Amino acid sequence: MSYIKKHLMSGETIVYQTKLNWSEYLKGITIIIIGIIIIESSNTAGSFGGFLVLVGLFLLGKSFLKMKSSEFAVTDKRVLIKVGILRTQSLETMLNKVEGIHVEQGLVDKMFGCGNIDVKGTGGTKNSFAGIDNPFEFRNAVNEQISKQ
C-alpha cells in the first residue's frame, strides 16, 4: 500500500495524484550511450567506456528507486508529498495552511512536462520538490480544493 493511501484520514479522498517525471532517467541513459559509443569507437578506451556503462546503470537504478518512492497527492483536505527511501522527506499540510504553490519550469523542463514546486505554508514554511510531472496541474488541483473550502 502506498504511503499516501496509508496516511489518509477517515473520509478523506484523493482528488489529484502525480509522480516524478520520466526525465529522471535521462542522466543514466545518456551516460550509458556515451559509454557504448566509447567502447565501439576505440579499443584502447574500452575499459573507460565500460566504467561509464556501469555508472549509467547505477544511476538508472537510483532513479528507479527514486521514482518508486516518490508520491505527490492533493486530497479534499490536505497536500501530501513523500520522497525517499532511506532518508524520507514528507509533507502533510492542511489545505487551509497552504499559502501558495510556486512552480518553476525552465526550458528543458517545459519540453519534458516537468518542473519544481515550492509549497509555501503559513508561518513562512517552504518545502521544495524537484522533477514533478505536470506541476501546473498539481498547483491547479491545490487551488481548486482551497477555493472549495
Side-chain angles (χ1 to χ4, degrees):
M1 180 182 278
S2 76
Y3 173 89
I4 289 173
K5 289 182 180 174
K6 197 182 300 183
H7 289 88
L8 289 176
M9 298 186 298
S10 76
E12 185 176 26
T13 58
I14 297 171
V15 295
Y16 182 80
Q17 197 163 7
T18 192
K19 59 191 179 327
L20 290 177
N21 189 271
W22 65 270
S23 62
E24 179 70 30
Y25 293 112
L26 285 179
K27 189 184 298 181
I29 291 169
T30 303
I31 290 174
I32 289 171
I33 291 170
I34 291 169
I36 291 171
I37 290 170
I38 290 172
I39 291 169
E40 292 296 321
S41 67
S42 172
N43 290 338
T44 58
S47 61
F48 179 66
F51 173 74
L52 286 180
V53 170
L54 289 176
V55 169
L57 289 171
F58 172 78
L59 290 175
L60 280 180
K62 184 178 169 187
S63 295
F64 176 78
L65 291 175
K66 187 175 179 183
M67 293 282 288
K68 290 296 181 187
S69 67
S70 300
E71 302 178 55
F72 305 87
V74 180
T75 71
D76 54 349
K77 298 177 183 178
R78 299 182 291 170
V79 174
L80 293 137
I81 298 173
K82 181 250 179 198
V83 293
I85 296 175
L86 298 177
R87 191 177 131 213
T88 303
Q89 178 185 5
S90 67
L91 170 74
E92 297 182 20
T93 304
M94 300 299 286
L95 289 170
N96 63 357
K97 301 293 184 188
V98 175
E99 287 185 353
I101 305 278
H102 171 73
V103 176
E104 184 177 327
Q105 203 177 36
L107 179 62
V108 174
D109 292 334
K110 285 181 184 184
M111 291 179 357
F112 293 121
C114 64
N116 305 332
I117 59 170
D118 294 329
V119 180
K120 296 178 184 174
T122 56
T125 61
K126 179 176 136 182
N127 293 280
S128 300
F129 301 93
I132 311 300
D133 200 33
N134 302 312
F136 289 105
E137 288 180 23
F138 185 86
R139 183 190 65 191
N140 292 343
V142 171
N143 290 335
E144 277 181 32
Q145 292 306 307
I146 290 172
S147 69
K148 288 181 181 179
Q149 291 188 341

